[in-house]
Amino acid sequence: MASNFSIPGSLGNDNNIIGGKRCGALSGDTFDVVSPVTGEVLAKVPECSKEDVDKAVETAKQAWYDYKLSPVFKRAALVRRIAERVLENKMEIAEVLSMEQGKSLKHESLPEVEETAKNFVLAAEDIVRMETPIIPMEDHNKRVLTFREGVGVMAVITPWNFPTVIPSEYLGPGLAAGNTIIIKPASFTPLSMILVGDCITQALKDLGFSPGVFSLITGPGSTVGEYLVSHPDVDMIGFTGETVTGERICSKAGIKKTLMELGGNGPQIVCDDANLEEAAKAAAFGCFYNSGQVCCATERILVDKKVHDRFVRLLLKEAGEWKLNHPLEGEDYCMGPLNNESTLKKTEEHLSDAVKKGAAILIGGKKEEGRPTNLYFPATVIDGVTRDMLLNTDETFGPVAPVITFETDEEAVEIANETRYGLQMAVFTSSIKKAFFYADRLRTGNLVVNDTTDYWEAHEPFGGGGGTKSGYGRLGGRFTLEDVTSFKTVAIDIEKTL
Ligand code: NAD
């Protein structure tokens, strides 16, 4: 472990937050959070069961009515205060995030915590400008107003690749809009979110809100998560994670409102008229940032055959810049370890499938030996990838740059669209006409022209494309407010009022 890191004393065993208090599981059970960086146990967290979920849901239900009726500007002040609290503690949160997730402190964790705070600020700004229409009616005595209001008790279930920013995408708008929220963070990376949870508890206290507005419970998705989403007193679910998990949650949720942010398999398409230096730099970033563990990572690089050789040379040069390192050390951009064994296994399986079918690894390809854990996997470039390979058909989620060639733009569209995912794609071209050729045809929720698939800004509406399995609803900015509120119409007969 880096000599200057020690786990904050506040992360003891009692890491659930219910009704403003830290507590353990009612059973007393715990599980270990192990650092992918060092292999050491960072902390123990409660292994909750149904009884803990019942307690959190009852607390959130009790708090909801008053919270929903609270003034909107006061809720805006609350989420702004949360942002301040997060920023006051950002270094401590970011260090824990790096140690439990594996990402670079300077280049990834600190920016993630800052973006976490920003999501609360954006929610504060957006909620006070959420206007709704007045509807003209045939009956002249009627005036019809519309409102958006908090749905009720909201369950938020999140993955391990962005342990604080993804929760904040739900918590900011969800709290600002008047929902009470229970979050279950991913079991690999709950600790940084627990520290953010403390900031939320403190902000609720600062503003004089009930502590029951926010709860956090930890435990396995298959038991705690599943019981939470099925609970009759949970009114809406915000979920980010794998497509199969999202499908399972929807089957359990019944008619509850859901917001689903699921897997991606974003290609970066490199056309023959692209700036190849820029395209190679962007592709390397898209493949290796957070060791490829990003929903909008560049999972595939589709390159026009005419520029293939030049592009691959440039890509290899860029890939060589991405070195493995301890995430708390190093000034330069670096990659930390993968977060967990199943991600390592999937990465190895996809590479071995591709090699068996004829693809060639140009650099990387094998985990590095002699590191503190098994999880340090280098930047890998693999050429000659074809449409039948797992690297093309499935999300890999590792630091791999698979190069696939195409001969026509129509073929590139076909390859891009043929997997079930459609989250974020990128196209490099110097032609506006070509950019729109792709924009009109790619089945994706988001398209980036001339930048990496990993480009986003916090307030941008982000989510899956229609007809794909990357989810629905939008995270980012004011659009999320529509997904975390329900619509209410009030018709008034003004003739019958005093
Ligand atoms: P995952 O689906 O395995 O787990 C996500 C969360 O769901 C975890 O908290 C887990 O405990 C919980 N869970 C698991 N089974 C559950 C069940 N039956 N009921 C309720 N909850 C359950 O995903 P992961 O491996 O943590 O994350 C990686 C995936 O997330 C990738 O597919 C990635 O593309 C996706 N992702 C999507 C976005 C997006 O914005 N679309 C962003 C980040 C990650």
Side-chain angles (χ1 to χ4, degrees):
M1 195 174 284
S3 52
N4 57 355
F5 177 79
S6 57
I7 198 79
S10 58
L11 290 168
N13 293 357
D14 291 343
N15 286 320
N16 281 338
I17 303 172
I18 301 179
K21 294 202 178 66
R22 286 290 203 89
C23 53
L26 290 166
S27 65
D29 292 346
T30 60
F31 64 94
D32 293 343
V33 180
V34 178
S35 172
V37 180
T38 60
E40 291 174 69
V41 175
L42 294 172
K44 289 183 181 299
V45 295
E47 179 151 349
C48 293
S49 54
K50 289 183 176 179
E51 291 68 32
D52 302 289
V53 177
D54 287 337
K55 185 174 149 195
V57 173
E58 183 54 30
T59 306
K61 191 179 162 192
Q62 294 287 336
W64 181 62
Y65 198 63
D66 282 350
Y67 186 62
K68 167 189 134 68
L69 294 177
S70 64
V72 63
F73 274 74
K74 191 173 171 195
R75 280 185 263 123
L78 168 71
V79 286
R80 207 180 280 282
R81 184 74 188 119
I82 294 170
E84 288 164 6
R85 288 278 188 187
V86 169
L87 290 176
E88 282 161 17
N89 294 285
K90 73 175 177 180
M91 188 48 94
E92 182 181 77
I93 299 170
E95 282 186 355
V96 170
L97 199 161
S98 278
M99 292 303 288
E100 66 176 349
Q101 203 283 334
K103 61 177 71 174
S104 155
L105 173 67
K106 180 175 173 195
H107 298 283
E108 301 190 25
S109 299
L110 262 178
E112 172 165 351
V113 176
E114 283 161 1
E115 190 178 336
T116 300
K118 189 186 264 184
N119 281 326
F120 288 102
V121 173
L122 287 170
E125 291 169 351
D126 289 332
I127 194 68
V128 297
R129 298 193 189 103
M130 189 173 55
E131 292 157 358
T132 47
I134 294 171
I135 315 283
M137 303 304 282
E138 283 182 20
D139 179 345
H140 188 62
N141 290 336
K142 296 290 190 302
R143 297 293 181 272
V144 172
L145 312 178
T146 60
F147 300 86
R148 282 198 169 271
E149 57 184 21
V151 179
V153 175
M154 181 173 168
V156 173
I157 300 194
T158 50
W160 47 263
N161 59 341
F162 287 88
T164 66
V165 90
I166 290 176
S168 70
E169 291 170 341
Y170 295 98
L171 290 164
L175 290 172
N179 299 285
T180 54
I181 302 187
I182 301 154
I183 183 166
K184 191 211 81 63
S187 299
F188 290 120
T189 55
L191 303 176
S192 48
M193 185 52 223
I194 291 164
L195 297 177
V196 172
D198 287 341
C199 298
I200 299 175
T201 304
Q202 285 157 1
L204 284 167
K205 201 167 166 201
D206 293 344
L207 272 286
F209 281 110
S210 157
V213 166
F214 169 79
S215 296
L216 181 152
I217 52 175
T218 51
S222 54
T223 52
V224 176
E226 195 149 320
Y227 183 63
L228 179 62
V229 298
S230 322
H231 200 291
D233 289 329
V234 166
D235 303 302
M236 110 148 256
I237 298 154
F239 173 74
T240 298
E242 286 192 32
T243 296
V244 282
T245 316
E247 281 174 334
R248 181 153 182 92
I249 288 174
C250 287
S251 76
K252 296 279 159 192
I255 56 167
K256 286 174 188 160
K257 194 173 170 92
T258 50
L259 169 48
M260 290 281 143
E261 295 289 338
L262 310 177
N265 195 11
Q268 174 181 311
I269 300 169
V270 183
C271 299
D272 59 350
D273 62 352
N275 177 329
L276 295 186
E277 282 80 14
E278 292 288 334
K281 199 183 258 303
F285 188 88
C287 295
F288 308 133
Y289 167 74
N290 199 15
S291 297
Q293 302 164 118
V294 186
C295 57
C296 56
T298 303
E299 290 276 337
R300 309 174 280 161
I301 308 170
L302 313 187
V303 186
D304 190 307
K305 201 174 167 191
K306 297 189 271 308
V307 294
H308 167 271
D309 293 359
R310 270 174 55 218
F311 175 80
V312 170
R313 271 197 303 278
L314 290 163
L315 178 63
L316 282 172
K317 190 163 154 267
E318 290 293 337
E321 303 287 319
W322 288 78
K323 307 280 187 226
L324 282 166
N325 204 350
H326 188 297
L328 298 191
E329 290 163 9
E331 278 301 295
D332 294 338
Y333 223 108
C334 72
M335 293 196 317
L338 292 172
N339 178 260
N340 55 69
E341 289 283 342
S342 59
T343 302
L344 171 71
K345 199 160 155 258
K346 197 171 177 198
T347 303
E348 290 176 335
E349 266 169 26
H350 285 197
L351 284 170
S352 131
D353 167 77
V355 169
K356 257 189 237 137
K357 291 174 180 161
I361 292 176
L362 304 183
I363 56 162
K366 263 202 219 105
K367 68 183 174 216
E368 276 194 15
E369 304 297 335
R371 297 275 183 174
T373 69
N374 219 8
L375 297 168
Y376 287 78
F377 204 95
T380 296
V381 176
I382 178 164
D383 197 10
V385 173
T386 50
R387 290 163 79 167
D388 56 328
M389 298 177 185
L390 291 170
L391 283 172
N392 178 52
T393 56
D394 283 18
E395 183 185 42
T396 304
F397 232 53
V400 180
V403 179
I404 304 174
T405 47
F406 66 85
E407 296 198 22
T408 63
D409 293 316
E410 286 77 9
E411 190 193 0
V413 168
E414 208 179 290
I415 301 171
N417 284 346
E418 72 190 349
T419 80
R420 60 192 186 144
Y421 299 109
L423 189 59
Q424 176 138 296
M425 302 186 184
V427 177
F428 273 77
T429 173
S430 51
S431 151
I432 298 231
K433 187 171 169 193
K434 216 173 236 207
F436 277 93
F437 172 89
Y438 280 102
D440 292 342
R441 288 164 180 77
L442 290 174
R443 226 165 170 191
T444 183
N446 301 66
L447 174 68
V448 182
V449 177
N450 292 335
D451 207 336
T452 169
T453 58
D454 270 344
Y455 170 79
W456 71 84
E457 292 193 25
H459 62 287
E460 185 188 6
F462 184 88
T468 73
K469 294 206 168 185
S470 288
Y472 48 80
R474 286 294 175 270
L475 282 185
R478 67 187 173 87
F479 298 95
T480 312
L481 289 175
E482 293 177 14
D483 288 312
V484 297
T485 48
S486 48
F487 205 77
K488 184 176 272 178
T489 304
V490 176
I492 308 165
D493 190 319
I494 55 168
E495 276 304 303
K496 294 176 191 150
T497 61
L498 291 177

